[in-house]
Amino acid sequence: MPVEKRGTGRYRARYNAPGGLERSKTFARKVDADDWLIEQRSSARQGAWVDPARGRITLADWVSRWAPTTVDLRPTTRALNLGVVRNHLLPRFGTWPIAAIRTSDVTTMVAEEVAAAKLSASAIRRHAIVLGVILEAAVADQRLARNPVRGVKLPPENARRMRVLEPDEVVTIATVIGAHHAPLIFTAAYTGLRWGELTALSTQNLDLLARTIRVERTLTDHGFGPPKPAAGARTVTMPAALAEVLGPHLGLEVVQASGLVFCGPQGAPLRRGNFNRVWRRACVGAGFDPTPEQLADPRRRPHRLEGFVFHELRHTAAALAIAQGAHPLAIKERLGHSSITVTMDRYGHLFPRLEEQVAEGLDEVLRSSLPAHNRPAPASELYIRRSKG
Protein backbone atom coordinates (compact mmCIF):
# COMPACT_ATOMS: atom_id res chain seq x y z
CA MET A 1 0.00 0.00 0.00
CA PRO A 2 1.59 3.32 -1.06
CA VAL A 3 0.07 5.24 1.88
CA GLU A 4 -0.47 3.44 5.16
CA LYS A 5 -1.73 4.56 8.53
CA ARG A 6 0.72 4.02 11.36
CA GLY A 7 -0.14 3.18 14.95
CA THR A 8 0.79 6.71 15.96
CA GLY A 9 -2.03 8.12 13.84
CA ARG A 10 0.38 9.41 11.22
CA TYR A 11 0.52 8.38 7.56
CA ARG A 12 3.52 7.01 5.74
CA ALA A 13 3.87 7.36 1.98
CA ARG A 14 6.16 4.89 0.20
CA TYR A 15 7.36 4.55 -3.38
CA ASN A 16 10.18 2.97 -5.33
CA ALA A 17 12.59 5.67 -6.45
CA PRO A 18 14.64 5.50 -9.66
CA GLY A 19 17.31 2.86 -9.10
CA GLY A 20 14.95 0.63 -7.12
CA LEU A 21 15.49 2.15 -3.67
CA GLU A 22 12.39 2.56 -1.53
CA ARG A 23 11.75 6.07 -0.21
CA SER A 24 9.18 7.04 2.40
CA LYS A 25 7.99 10.01 4.40
CA THR A 26 5.42 10.36 7.19
CA PHE A 27 2.73 13.02 7.49
CA ALA A 28 0.12 14.03 10.03
CA ARG A 29 -2.61 14.06 7.34
CA LYS A 30 -3.35 11.49 4.66
CA VAL A 31 -4.02 14.20 2.06
CA ASP A 32 -0.50 15.54 2.53
CA ALA A 33 0.96 12.05 2.11
CA ASP A 34 -1.06 11.54 -1.07
CA ASP A 35 0.05 14.90 -2.52
CA TRP A 36 3.71 14.18 -1.76
CA LEU A 37 3.48 10.76 -3.35
CA ILE A 38 1.91 12.19 -6.52
CA GLU A 39 4.63 14.85 -6.69
CA GLN A 40 7.44 12.30 -6.35
CA ARG A 41 6.00 9.97 -8.99
CA SER A 42 5.41 12.87 -11.39
CA SER A 43 9.00 14.06 -10.97
CA ALA A 44 10.30 10.56 -11.62
CA ARG A 45 8.28 10.26 -14.84
CA GLN A 46 9.56 13.64 -16.07
CA GLY A 47 13.16 12.84 -15.24
CA ALA A 48 13.25 15.64 -12.64
CA TRP A 49 13.26 13.43 -9.58
CA VAL A 50 15.66 14.36 -6.80
CA ASP A 51 16.50 12.03 -3.95
CA PRO A 52 14.97 13.71 -0.86
CA ALA A 53 17.84 12.36 1.24
CA ARG A 54 20.25 14.63 -0.64
CA GLY A 55 18.30 17.69 0.40
CA ARG A 56 18.64 16.96 4.09
CA ILE A 57 22.07 18.59 4.23
CA THR A 58 21.91 21.81 6.24
CA LEU A 59 22.54 25.15 4.61
CA ALA A 60 25.67 25.58 6.74
CA ASP A 61 27.10 22.25 5.56
CA TRP A 62 26.18 22.98 1.95
CA VAL A 63 27.82 26.42 2.13
CA SER A 64 31.05 24.78 3.32
CA ARG A 65 31.03 22.81 0.05
CA TRP A 66 29.83 25.69 -2.12
CA ALA A 67 32.20 28.41 -0.90
CA PRO A 68 35.40 26.86 -2.35
CA THR A 69 33.76 26.88 -5.80
CA THR A 70 33.55 30.69 -5.84
CA VAL A 71 37.26 31.25 -6.44
CA ASP A 72 36.53 32.52 -9.97
CA LEU A 73 34.84 35.63 -8.55
CA ARG A 74 36.72 38.89 -8.12
CA PRO A 75 38.13 39.04 -4.56
CA THR A 76 35.92 41.98 -3.57
CA THR A 77 32.76 40.30 -4.90
CA ARG A 78 33.64 37.00 -3.24
CA ALA A 79 34.34 38.69 0.09
CA LEU A 80 31.07 40.60 -0.12
CA ASN A 81 29.03 37.47 -0.89
CA LEU A 82 30.68 35.42 1.85
CA GLY A 83 30.05 38.29 4.26
CA VAL A 84 26.34 38.12 3.39
CA VAL A 85 26.38 34.37 4.05
CA ARG A 86 28.19 34.71 7.36
CA ASN A 87 26.31 37.72 8.76
CA HIS A 88 22.79 37.25 7.39
CA LEU A 89 22.00 33.87 5.82
CA LEU A 90 23.60 31.40 8.22
CA PRO A 91 22.17 33.03 11.38
CA ARG A 92 18.71 32.59 9.85
CA PHE A 93 18.86 29.38 7.81
CA GLY A 94 22.15 27.75 8.80
CA THR A 95 20.63 24.81 10.67
CA TRP A 96 17.82 24.25 8.17
CA PRO A 97 17.96 21.36 5.70
CA ILE A 98 18.16 23.06 2.30
CA ALA A 99 15.07 21.15 1.15
CA ALA A 100 13.12 22.75 4.00
CA ILE A 101 13.66 26.31 2.74
CA ARG A 102 10.48 27.37 0.97
CA THR A 103 9.74 30.35 -1.22
CA SER A 104 7.52 31.70 1.56
CA ASP A 105 10.51 31.58 3.96
CA VAL A 106 12.62 33.71 1.62
CA THR A 107 9.70 36.09 1.07
CA THR A 108 9.35 36.44 4.84
CA MET A 109 13.06 37.21 5.20
CA VAL A 110 12.85 39.95 2.57
CA ALA A 111 9.68 41.41 4.08
CA GLU A 112 11.15 41.53 7.58
CA GLU A 113 14.32 43.23 6.37
CA VAL A 114 12.32 45.82 4.45
CA ALA A 115 10.10 46.47 7.50
CA ALA A 116 13.13 46.90 9.77
CA ALA A 117 14.32 49.78 7.53
CA LYS A 118 17.92 49.26 8.64
CA LEU A 119 19.30 48.18 5.26
CA SER A 120 19.24 49.65 1.79
CA ALA A 121 17.19 47.96 -0.90
CA SER A 122 20.43 46.95 -2.62
CA ALA A 123 21.62 45.11 0.50
CA ILE A 124 18.31 43.32 0.94
CA ARG A 125 18.30 42.30 -2.72
CA ARG A 126 21.84 40.97 -2.39
CA HIS A 127 20.86 38.75 0.55
CA ALA A 128 18.19 37.03 -1.53
CA ILE A 129 20.35 36.90 -4.65
CA VAL A 130 23.26 35.27 -2.83
CA LEU A 131 20.91 32.72 -1.26
CA GLY A 132 19.56 32.05 -4.74
CA VAL A 133 23.06 31.43 -6.09
CA ILE A 134 23.81 28.99 -3.26
CA LEU A 135 20.60 27.05 -3.76
CA GLU A 136 20.96 27.07 -7.54
CA ALA A 137 24.22 25.23 -7.03
CA ALA A 138 22.27 22.69 -4.96
CA VAL A 139 19.82 22.27 -7.86
CA ALA A 140 22.74 21.63 -10.21
CA ASP A 141 24.07 19.05 -7.75
CA GLN A 142 20.66 17.32 -7.76
CA ARG A 143 19.98 18.11 -4.12
CA LEU A 144 16.92 20.25 -4.86
CA ALA A 145 14.29 19.93 -7.55
CA ARG A 146 13.87 23.69 -7.81
CA ASN A 147 15.32 26.86 -6.37
CA PRO A 148 12.90 28.38 -3.81
CA VAL A 149 14.33 31.86 -4.40
CA ARG A 150 12.95 31.88 -7.93
CA GLY A 151 9.83 33.97 -8.08
CA VAL A 152 10.52 35.90 -4.86
CA LYS A 153 9.60 39.53 -5.40
CA LEU A 154 12.55 41.71 -4.42
CA PRO A 155 12.33 45.37 -3.39
CA PRO A 156 13.15 47.74 -6.24
CA GLU A 157 16.59 49.27 -6.24
CA ASN A 158 16.64 52.61 -4.48
CA ALA A 159 16.79 54.87 -7.50
CA ARG A 160 19.48 57.00 -5.96
CA ARG A 161 19.50 60.35 -7.67
CA MET A 162 22.76 60.75 -9.56
CA ARG A 163 24.46 63.78 -8.08
CA VAL A 164 27.29 65.65 -9.72
CA LEU A 165 29.36 68.60 -8.61
CA GLU A 166 29.87 71.91 -10.35
CA PRO A 167 33.54 72.84 -10.98
CA ASP A 168 33.56 75.31 -8.08
CA GLU A 169 32.10 72.61 -5.77
CA VAL A 170 34.97 70.27 -6.71
CA VAL A 171 37.35 73.03 -5.61
CA THR A 172 35.40 73.45 -2.37
CA ILE A 173 35.62 69.83 -1.28
CA ALA A 174 39.25 69.58 -2.41
CA THR A 175 40.03 72.59 -0.22
CA VAL A 176 38.14 71.26 2.78
CA ILE A 177 39.68 67.78 2.60
CA GLY A 178 43.20 69.21 2.79
CA ALA A 179 46.33 69.51 0.64
CA HIS A 180 47.40 65.86 0.86
CA HIS A 181 44.15 64.46 -0.60
CA ALA A 182 43.15 67.41 -2.82
CA PRO A 183 44.97 66.01 -5.91
CA LEU A 184 43.01 62.77 -5.48
CA ILE A 185 39.73 64.71 -5.57
CA PHE A 186 40.70 66.66 -8.69
CA THR A 187 41.89 63.50 -10.47
CA ALA A 188 38.69 61.61 -9.66
CA ALA A 189 36.50 64.52 -10.81
CA TYR A 190 38.36 65.16 -14.06
CA THR A 191 39.30 61.64 -15.22
CA GLY A 192 36.50 59.43 -13.86
CA LEU A 193 38.85 56.70 -12.58
CA ARG A 194 37.31 54.30 -10.10
CA TRP A 195 38.38 54.28 -6.45
CA GLY A 196 40.41 51.07 -6.84
CA GLU A 197 42.08 52.40 -9.99
CA LEU A 198 43.05 55.65 -8.28
CA THR A 199 44.44 54.01 -5.16
CA ALA A 200 46.46 51.51 -7.23
CA LEU A 201 47.90 54.14 -9.56
CA SER A 202 51.70 53.89 -9.69
CA THR A 203 53.86 56.96 -10.21
CA GLN A 204 55.38 55.10 -13.16
CA ASN A 205 51.99 55.03 -14.85
CA LEU A 206 51.66 58.80 -14.80
CA ASP A 207 53.24 60.86 -17.61
CA LEU A 208 52.83 64.55 -16.89
CA LEU A 209 54.50 65.65 -20.12
CA ALA A 210 52.22 63.52 -22.29
CA ARG A 211 49.37 64.21 -19.83
CA THR A 212 48.40 60.52 -19.75
CA ILE A 213 47.41 58.06 -17.05
CA ARG A 214 47.87 54.37 -17.77
CA VAL A 215 45.33 52.30 -15.85
CA GLU A 216 46.75 48.78 -15.45
CA ARG A 217 45.64 47.60 -12.02
CA THR A 218 43.19 48.14 -9.19
CA LEU A 219 43.49 47.92 -5.40
CA THR A 220 41.18 45.58 -3.48
CA ASP A 221 41.03 44.41 0.10
CA HIS A 222 43.26 41.52 -0.98
CA GLY A 223 45.97 43.59 -2.68
CA PHE A 224 46.65 44.74 -6.23
CA GLY A 225 44.95 43.05 -9.14
CA PRO A 226 43.98 43.65 -12.77
CA PRO A 227 41.25 46.15 -13.65
CA LYS A 228 37.68 44.98 -13.99
CA PRO A 229 37.56 42.56 -16.93
CA ALA A 230 35.03 44.71 -18.77
CA ALA A 231 37.23 47.79 -18.39
CA GLY A 232 40.66 46.32 -19.04
CA ALA A 233 43.83 48.36 -19.19
CA ARG A 234 43.38 51.77 -20.79
CA THR A 235 45.04 55.16 -21.18
CA VAL A 236 43.26 58.31 -20.03
CA THR A 237 44.34 61.81 -21.07
CA MET A 238 44.18 64.41 -18.33
CA PRO A 239 43.61 68.17 -18.62
CA ALA A 240 46.81 70.23 -18.61
CA ALA A 241 45.69 72.01 -15.44
CA LEU A 242 45.38 68.66 -13.65
CA ALA A 243 48.94 67.78 -14.68
CA GLU A 244 50.01 71.08 -13.09
CA VAL A 245 48.19 70.14 -9.89
CA LEU A 246 49.82 66.72 -9.79
CA GLY A 247 53.35 67.96 -10.48
CA PRO A 248 54.12 69.29 -6.96
CA HIS A 249 52.20 66.37 -5.43
CA LEU A 250 54.48 63.83 -7.10
CA GLY A 251 57.46 65.61 -5.57
CA LEU A 252 56.31 64.79 -2.03
CA GLU A 253 58.74 62.50 -0.24
CA VAL A 254 55.97 60.17 0.96
CA VAL A 255 54.67 59.75 -2.61
CA GLN A 256 58.12 59.00 -4.01
CA ALA A 257 58.83 56.52 -1.22
CA SER A 258 55.54 54.64 -1.66
CA GLY A 259 55.53 54.66 -5.46
CA LEU A 260 51.80 55.38 -5.31
CA VAL A 261 50.36 58.60 -6.69
CA PHE A 262 47.70 58.61 -3.98
CA CYS A 263 48.63 57.16 -0.60
CA GLY A 264 48.02 57.80 3.06
CA PRO A 265 49.94 60.50 4.97
CA GLN A 266 52.45 57.83 6.07
CA GLY A 267 52.76 56.27 2.62
CA ALA A 268 50.45 53.26 3.12
CA PRO A 269 47.91 52.40 0.40
CA LEU A 270 44.59 54.16 0.88
CA ARG A 271 41.90 51.89 2.26
CA ARG A 272 38.26 52.74 1.75
CA GLY A 273 37.33 52.26 5.41
CA ASN A 274 40.01 54.63 6.71
CA PHE A 275 39.59 57.20 3.95
CA ASN A 276 35.82 57.19 4.35
CA ARG A 277 36.12 58.94 7.71
CA VAL A 278 38.16 61.72 6.13
CA TRP A 279 35.75 61.89 3.21
CA ARG A 280 32.65 62.11 5.41
CA ARG A 281 34.11 64.98 7.44
CA ALA A 282 34.98 66.82 4.25
CA CYS A 283 31.49 66.33 2.81
CA VAL A 284 29.89 67.69 5.96
CA GLY A 285 32.34 70.61 6.01
CA ALA A 286 31.63 71.38 2.36
CA GLY A 287 27.88 71.25 2.95
CA PHE A 288 27.25 68.17 0.80
CA ASP A 289 26.30 65.88 3.71
CA PRO A 290 23.79 66.31 6.53
CA THR A 291 25.25 67.30 9.88
CA PRO A 292 25.28 64.87 12.85
CA GLU A 293 22.33 66.78 14.31
CA GLN A 294 20.33 66.29 11.11
CA LEU A 295 21.21 62.61 10.99
CA ALA A 296 20.01 62.17 14.56
CA ASP A 297 16.50 63.09 13.44
CA PRO A 298 14.62 59.74 13.38
CA ARG A 299 12.50 60.97 10.47
CA ARG A 300 15.52 60.98 8.19
CA ARG A 301 16.64 57.93 6.21
CA PRO A 302 19.83 56.06 7.17
CA HIS A 303 23.12 57.90 6.72
CA ARG A 304 24.29 55.59 3.95
CA LEU A 305 21.41 56.68 1.73
CA GLU A 306 22.02 60.39 2.17
CA GLY A 307 25.71 61.11 2.02
CA PHE A 308 27.53 62.25 -1.08
CA VAL A 309 29.62 59.21 -2.00
CA PHE A 310 33.11 59.23 -3.50
CA HIS A 311 31.90 57.32 -6.57
CA GLU A 312 29.81 60.36 -7.51
CA LEU A 313 33.04 62.10 -8.46
CA ARG A 314 33.10 59.59 -11.32
CA HIS A 315 29.62 60.78 -12.34
CA THR A 316 30.94 64.32 -12.05
CA ALA A 317 33.77 63.51 -14.46
CA ALA A 318 31.27 62.16 -16.99
CA ALA A 319 28.99 65.18 -16.62
CA LEU A 320 31.86 67.67 -17.02
CA ALA A 321 33.12 65.90 -20.16
CA ILE A 322 29.61 65.76 -21.66
CA ALA A 323 29.17 69.47 -20.97
CA GLN A 324 32.25 70.07 -23.12
CA GLY A 325 30.65 68.20 -26.03
CA ALA A 326 32.40 64.83 -25.58
CA HIS A 327 31.01 62.03 -27.75
CA PRO A 328 29.40 59.09 -25.90
CA LEU A 329 32.02 56.73 -27.32
CA ALA A 330 34.78 58.91 -25.87
CA ILE A 331 33.03 58.82 -22.48
CA LYS A 332 32.76 55.03 -22.75
CA GLU A 333 36.50 54.65 -23.43
CA ARG A 334 37.47 57.18 -20.77
CA LEU A 335 35.44 55.54 -18.02
CA GLY A 336 36.25 51.99 -19.05
CA HIS A 337 32.67 50.85 -19.59
CA SER A 338 32.04 47.43 -21.10
CA SER A 339 29.82 48.83 -23.84
CA ILE A 340 28.32 52.04 -25.18
CA THR A 341 24.97 50.74 -23.91
CA VAL A 342 26.23 50.97 -20.32
CA THR A 343 27.38 54.54 -20.93
CA MET A 344 24.08 55.66 -22.45
CA ASP A 345 21.98 53.86 -19.83
CA ARG A 346 23.89 55.66 -17.10
CA TYR A 347 24.53 59.07 -18.64
CA GLY A 348 22.20 59.32 -21.62
CA HIS A 349 20.02 61.88 -19.85
CA LEU A 350 23.03 64.21 -19.73
CA PHE A 351 22.98 64.48 -23.53
CA PRO A 352 19.90 66.75 -23.83
CA ARG A 353 20.77 68.17 -27.25
CA LEU A 354 22.16 65.05 -28.89
CA GLU A 355 18.99 64.42 -30.94
CA GLU A 356 18.76 68.08 -31.88
CA GLN A 357 22.38 68.10 -33.02
CA VAL A 358 21.75 65.07 -35.23
CA ALA A 359 18.72 66.75 -36.84
CA GLU A 360 20.59 70.00 -37.37
CA GLY A 361 23.52 68.21 -38.97
CA LEU A 362 21.24 66.21 -41.29
CA ASP A 363 19.40 69.40 -42.22
CA GLU A 364 22.65 70.98 -43.36
CA VAL A 365 23.59 67.88 -45.37
CA LEU A 366 20.18 67.67 -47.07
CA ARG A 367 19.99 71.41 -47.78
CA SER A 368 23.44 71.53 -49.34
CA SER A 369 22.78 68.46 -51.50
CA LEU A 370 19.64 69.86 -53.18
CA PRO A 371 19.97 71.92 -56.41
CA ALA A 372 20.03 75.61 -55.59
CA HIS A 373 16.72 76.38 -57.35
CA ASN A 374 14.93 73.52 -55.57
CA ARG A 375 16.16 74.26 -52.08
CA PRO A 376 13.30 75.00 -49.73
CA ALA A 377 13.35 78.21 -47.82
CA PRO A 378 14.12 77.87 -44.10
CA ALA A 379 11.02 77.30 -42.00
CA SER A 380 11.45 80.71 -40.38
CA GLU A 381 11.23 82.47 -43.77
CA LEU A 382 8.11 80.51 -44.76
CA TYR A 383 6.46 81.53 -41.53
CA ILE A 384 7.23 85.20 -42.20
CA ARG A 385 5.86 84.99 -45.77
CA ARG A 386 2.62 83.33 -44.60
CA SER A 387 2.20 85.91 -41.88
CA LYS A 388 2.49 88.73 -44.38
CA GLY A 389 0.14 87.02 -46.82
Side-chain angles (χ1 to χ4, degrees):
M1 174 181 278
V3 176
E4 60 181 355
K5 187 174 183 179
R6 309 300 300 274
T8 59
R10 296 176 63 83
Y11 295 86
R12 184 173 71 168
R14 295 181 299 163
Y15 68 98
N16 289 326
L21 294 177
E22 183 180 87
R23 292 286 182 259
S24 65
K25 188 174 182 179
T26 59
F27 298 87
R29 302 188 309 167
K30 184 176 184 298
V31 64
D32 294 331
D34 289 333
D35 289 345
W36 180 81
L37 192 59
I38 293 172
E39 180 182 343
Q40 298 305 312
R41 287 174 171 172
S42 175
S43 296
R45 285 195 300 270
Q46 296 172 14
W49 181 81
V50 172
D51 187 347
R54 290 179 59 77
R56 292 174 191 155
I57 185 173
T58 65
L59 182 68
D61 288 339
W62 176 242
V63 163
S64 67
R65 301 188 187 192
W66 165 82
T69 69
T70 63
V71 292
D72 60 317
L73 296 177
R74 288 174 58 82
T76 50
T77 303
R78 185 171 189 268
L80 181 60
N81 288 354
L82 293 181
V84 167
V85 171
R86 181 174 57 255
N87 298 321
H88 299 279
L89 300 181
L90 291 185
R92 187 181 191 102
F93 295 122
T95 61
W96 290 36
I98 58 174
I101 302 175
R102 305 298 184 200
T103 299
S104 58
D105 299 317
V106 184
T107 300
T108 299
M109 176 188 75
V110 171
E112 290 178 353
E113 290 182 342
V114 170
K118 294 181 179 179
L119 298 169
S120 68
S122 295
I124 295 171
R125 288 171 61 89
R126 180 171 286 274
H127 296 174
I129 290 170
V130 172
L131 179 60
V133 170
I134 294 170
L135 296 182
E136 193 63 37
V139 172
D141 198 46
Q142 296 185 325
R143 293 180 179 276
L144 295 177
R146 61 176 295 276
N147 188 339
V149 182
R150 294 178 193 170
V152 173
K153 185 177 180 180
L154 301 181
E157 287 276 13
N158 284 327
R160 181 187 176 99
R161 179 175 58 88
M162 183 186 296
R163 293 175 292 184
V164 300
L165 300 183
E166 296 295 331
D168 60 325
E169 292 177 318
V170 175
V171 173
T172 297
I173 196 166
T175 302
V176 172
I177 206 168
H180 183 78
H181 292 305
L184 170 65
I185 304 304
F186 284 118
T187 304
Y190 282 90
T191 66
L193 268 63
R194 300 175 177 87
W195 166 260
E197 296 169 345
L198 289 163
T199 53
L201 187 59
S202 166
T203 54
Q204 296 182 354
N205 285 60
L206 201 66
D207 189 332
L208 296 183
L209 291 178
R211 296 190 292 110
T212 59
I213 299 173
R214 182 64 181 168
V215 181
E216 294 183 338
R217 62 181 186 175
T218 188
L219 180 62
T220 71
D221 293 338
H222 303 277
F224 295 105
K228 294 180 69 172
R234 67 190 189 281
T235 299
V236 177
T237 303
M238 72 182 92
L242 178 58
E244 294 170 6
V245 168
L246 291 173
H249 178 74
L250 293 181
L252 296 177
E253 182 177 342
V254 66
V255 172
Q256 294 180 347
S258 69
L260 295 172
V261 177
F262 306 113
C263 59
Q266 307 303 319
L270 285 174
R271 296 295 180 181
R272 192 184 295 271
N274 293 333
F275 179 80
N276 196 51
R277 289 191 288 269
V278 178
W279 172 255
R280 293 265 70 87
R281 288 196 297 268
C283 287
V284 172
F288 303 147
D289 265 17
T291 64
E293 291 74 22
Q294 292 172 324
L295 288 173
D297 187 339
R299 294 171 298 179
R300 298 183 72 91
R301 293 188 303 168
H303 183 188
R304 67 176 67 84
L305 300 181
E306 298 205 37
F308 187 85
V309 298
F310 187 88
H311 190 76
E312 286 171 313
L313 291 177
R314 179 169 162 86
H315 299 329
T316 296
L320 292 174
I322 291 169
Q324 298 306 308
H327 189 278
L329 187 59
I331 302 296
K332 178 254 184 192
E333 296 295 332
R334 192 170 183 82
L335 297 183
H337 284 158
S338 59
S339 69
I340 192 68
T341 302
V342 173
T343 305
M344 294 308 295
D345 284 348
R346 204 158 295 174
Y347 302 112
H349 65 286
L350 298 179
F351 291 90
R353 294 197 70 252
L354 201 58
E355 180 65 22
E356 294 177 28
Q357 290 172 2
V358 171
E360 291 170 2
L362 292 175
D363 176 74
E364 183 178 343
V365 171
L366 174 59
R367 196 172 295 281
S368 62
S369 67
L370 293 172
H373 64 280
N374 286 334
R375 290 180 189 169
S380 58
E381 292 184 17
L382 291 175
Y383 176 78
I384 294 172
R385 290 176 190 172
R386 291 172 181 169
S387 298
K388 290 181 178 180

